[in-house]
Short mmCIF file of all heavy atoms in Angstrom, two decimals:
data_model
loop_
_atom_site.label_atom_id
_atom_site.label_comp_id
_atom_site.label_asym_id
_atom_site.label_seq_id
_atom_site.Cartn_x
_atom_site.Cartn_y
_atom_site.Cartn_z
N VAL A 1187 74.95 -48.80 37.49
CA VAL A 1187 73.98 -48.74 38.59
C VAL A 1187 74.43 -47.74 39.64
O VAL A 1187 73.65 -46.92 40.14
CB VAL A 1187 73.78 -50.13 39.22
CG1 VAL A 1187 72.97 -50.02 40.51
CG2 VAL A 1187 73.08 -51.07 38.24
N SER A 1191 72.40 -43.61 39.58
CA SER A 1191 71.24 -43.64 40.45
C SER A 1191 71.62 -43.18 41.85
O SER A 1191 72.52 -43.72 42.47
CB SER A 1191 70.66 -45.07 40.51
OG SER A 1191 69.58 -45.11 41.41
N ARG A 1192 70.90 -42.18 42.33
CA ARG A 1192 71.15 -41.72 43.70
C ARG A 1192 70.62 -42.71 44.72
O ARG A 1192 71.14 -42.82 45.82
CB ARG A 1192 70.46 -40.36 43.91
CG ARG A 1192 71.07 -39.23 43.08
CD ARG A 1192 70.36 -37.93 43.37
NE ARG A 1192 70.92 -36.83 42.59
CZ ARG A 1192 70.45 -35.59 42.62
NH1 ARG A 1192 69.41 -35.30 43.41
NH2 ARG A 1192 71.01 -34.65 41.88
N ASP A 1193 69.56 -43.40 44.35
CA ASP A 1193 68.94 -44.35 45.26
C ASP A 1193 68.84 -45.69 44.55
O ASP A 1193 67.89 -45.97 43.85
CB ASP A 1193 67.55 -43.87 45.67
CG ASP A 1193 66.88 -44.81 46.67
OD1 ASP A 1193 67.62 -45.53 47.36
OD2 ASP A 1193 65.64 -44.82 46.73
N TYR A 1194 69.89 -46.49 44.67
CA TYR A 1194 69.90 -47.76 43.95
C TYR A 1194 69.81 -48.93 44.92
O TYR A 1194 70.16 -48.83 46.10
CB TYR A 1194 71.15 -47.88 43.07
CG TYR A 1194 72.46 -47.93 43.85
CD1 TYR A 1194 72.92 -49.12 44.39
CD2 TYR A 1194 73.23 -46.79 44.02
CE1 TYR A 1194 74.11 -49.17 45.09
CE2 TYR A 1194 74.42 -46.82 44.71
CZ TYR A 1194 74.86 -48.02 45.25
OH TYR A 1194 76.04 -48.07 45.95
N ALA A 1195 69.34 -50.06 44.41
CA ALA A 1195 69.33 -51.30 45.17
C ALA A 1195 69.95 -52.36 44.28
O ALA A 1195 69.39 -52.70 43.24
CB ALA A 1195 67.91 -51.69 45.55
N GLY A 1196 71.12 -52.84 44.64
CA GLY A 1196 71.81 -53.80 43.81
C GLY A 1196 71.81 -55.19 44.43
O GLY A 1196 71.88 -55.35 45.65
N VAL A 1197 71.70 -56.20 43.58
CA VAL A 1197 71.79 -57.59 44.02
C VAL A 1197 72.82 -58.28 43.14
O VAL A 1197 72.73 -58.24 41.91
CB VAL A 1197 70.44 -58.32 43.90
CG1 VAL A 1197 70.60 -59.78 44.35
CG2 VAL A 1197 69.37 -57.63 44.72
N CYS A 1315 65.21 -61.35 44.42
CA CYS A 1315 65.36 -60.09 43.69
C CYS A 1315 64.03 -59.34 43.59
O CYS A 1315 63.97 -58.12 43.82
CB CYS A 1315 65.91 -60.36 42.29
SG CYS A 1315 67.63 -60.89 42.26
N GLU A 1316 62.98 -60.06 43.24
CA GLU A 1316 61.66 -59.42 43.11
C GLU A 1316 61.20 -58.85 44.45
O GLU A 1316 60.71 -57.71 44.52
CB GLU A 1316 60.65 -60.45 42.61
CG GLU A 1316 59.18 -60.01 42.68
CD GLU A 1316 58.85 -58.84 41.77
OE1 GLU A 1316 59.68 -58.51 40.89
OE2 GLU A 1316 57.76 -58.25 41.94
N SER A 1317 61.38 -59.61 45.52
CA SER A 1317 60.93 -59.16 46.84
C SER A 1317 61.74 -57.95 47.32
O SER A 1317 61.18 -57.00 47.87
CB SER A 1317 61.05 -60.30 47.85
OG SER A 1317 60.25 -61.40 47.48
N GLU A 1318 63.05 -58.00 47.13
CA GLU A 1318 63.89 -56.88 47.56
C GLU A 1318 63.58 -55.63 46.74
O GLU A 1318 63.58 -54.51 47.27
CB GLU A 1318 65.37 -57.25 47.44
CG GLU A 1318 65.83 -58.35 48.40
CD GLU A 1318 65.98 -57.87 49.83
OE1 GLU A 1318 65.64 -56.70 50.12
OE2 GLU A 1318 66.43 -58.67 50.68
N TYR A 1319 63.32 -55.79 45.47
CA TYR A 1319 62.95 -54.65 44.62
C TYR A 1319 61.65 -54.03 45.12
O TYR A 1319 61.54 -52.80 45.26
CB TYR A 1319 62.79 -55.10 43.17
CG TYR A 1319 62.20 -54.02 42.27
CD1 TYR A 1319 63.00 -53.03 41.73
CD2 TYR A 1319 60.83 -53.99 42.01
CE1 TYR A 1319 62.47 -52.03 40.93
CE2 TYR A 1319 60.28 -52.99 41.21
CZ TYR A 1319 61.10 -52.02 40.68
OH TYR A 1319 60.55 -51.02 39.90
N GLN A 1320 60.65 -54.88 45.37
CA GLN A 1320 59.37 -54.38 45.86
C GLN A 1320 59.53 -53.65 47.19
O GLN A 1320 58.94 -52.59 47.40
CB GLN A 1320 58.38 -55.54 46.01
CG GLN A 1320 57.93 -56.18 44.71
CD GLN A 1320 56.97 -55.31 43.93
OE1 GLN A 1320 56.26 -54.49 44.50
NE2 GLN A 1320 56.95 -55.48 42.62
N ASN A 1321 60.34 -54.21 48.07
CA ASN A 1321 60.57 -53.56 49.37
C ASN A 1321 61.23 -52.20 49.20
O ASN A 1321 60.91 -51.23 49.88
CB ASN A 1321 61.47 -54.43 50.25
CG ASN A 1321 60.68 -55.45 51.06
OD1 ASN A 1321 59.46 -55.53 50.95
ND2 ASN A 1321 61.37 -56.22 51.87
N HIS A 1322 62.18 -52.12 48.29
CA HIS A 1322 63.00 -50.91 48.17
C HIS A 1322 62.27 -49.79 47.43
O HIS A 1322 62.40 -48.62 47.78
CB HIS A 1322 64.31 -51.24 47.45
CG HIS A 1322 65.35 -50.17 47.59
ND1 HIS A 1322 66.19 -50.10 48.68
CD2 HIS A 1322 65.68 -49.13 46.79
CE1 HIS A 1322 67.00 -49.06 48.54
NE2 HIS A 1322 66.71 -48.45 47.40
N PHE A 1323 61.51 -50.16 46.39
CA PHE A 1323 60.96 -49.13 45.51
C PHE A 1323 59.44 -49.02 45.50
O PHE A 1323 58.91 -48.01 45.05
CB PHE A 1323 61.42 -49.38 44.06
CG PHE A 1323 62.89 -49.19 43.85
CD1 PHE A 1323 63.71 -50.27 43.58
CD2 PHE A 1323 63.47 -47.93 43.94
CE1 PHE A 1323 65.07 -50.11 43.38
CE2 PHE A 1323 64.82 -47.75 43.75
CZ PHE A 1323 65.63 -48.84 43.47
N VAL A 1324 58.73 -50.04 45.96
CA VAL A 1324 57.28 -50.07 45.80
C VAL A 1324 56.53 -50.02 47.13
O VAL A 1324 55.70 -49.13 47.36
CB VAL A 1324 56.84 -51.32 45.00
CG1 VAL A 1324 55.32 -51.34 44.85
CG2 VAL A 1324 57.52 -51.34 43.64
N ARG A 1325 56.83 -50.96 48.01
CA ARG A 1325 56.07 -51.06 49.25
C ARG A 1325 56.46 -49.95 50.22
O ARG A 1325 57.62 -49.55 50.31
CB ARG A 1325 56.32 -52.42 49.92
CG ARG A 1325 55.84 -53.61 49.11
CD ARG A 1325 55.95 -54.88 49.94
NE ARG A 1325 55.46 -56.03 49.20
CZ ARG A 1325 56.24 -56.88 48.55
NH1 ARG A 1325 57.55 -56.70 48.56
NH2 ARG A 1325 55.73 -57.90 47.91
N ASP A 1326 55.45 -49.49 50.99
CA ASP A 1326 55.77 -48.56 52.06
C ASP A 1326 56.35 -49.34 53.23
O ASP A 1326 56.33 -50.57 53.25
CB ASP A 1326 54.55 -47.74 52.48
CG ASP A 1326 53.40 -48.60 52.97
OD1 ASP A 1326 53.65 -49.59 53.71
OD2 ASP A 1326 52.23 -48.32 52.61
N LYS A 1327 56.87 -48.65 54.19
CA LYS A 1327 57.62 -49.28 55.27
C LYS A 1327 56.79 -50.32 56.02
O LYS A 1327 57.29 -51.38 56.41
CB LYS A 1327 58.13 -48.21 56.25
CG LYS A 1327 59.07 -48.75 57.32
CD LYS A 1327 59.65 -47.63 58.16
CE LYS A 1327 60.60 -48.17 59.20
NZ LYS A 1327 61.20 -47.10 60.03
N GLN A 1330 56.33 -53.82 53.97
CA GLN A 1330 57.48 -54.54 53.42
C GLN A 1330 57.56 -55.96 53.97
O GLN A 1330 57.17 -56.23 55.10
CB GLN A 1330 58.77 -53.78 53.76
CG GLN A 1330 58.91 -52.48 53.01
CD GLN A 1330 60.24 -51.80 53.28
OE1 GLN A 1330 61.04 -52.27 54.07
NE2 GLN A 1330 60.46 -50.68 52.62
#
Side-chain angles (χ1 to χ4, degrees):
V1187 170
S1191 177
R1192 293 181 180 178
D1193 182 24
Y1194 64 83
V1197 179
C1315 290
E1316 169 65 13
S1317 299
E1318 293 286 4
Y1319 171 83
Q1320 291 287 333
N1321 273 2
H1322 195 84
F1323 293 111
V1324 180
R1325 296 188 178 99
D1326 59 41
K1327 187 174 181 179
Q1330 290 184 358

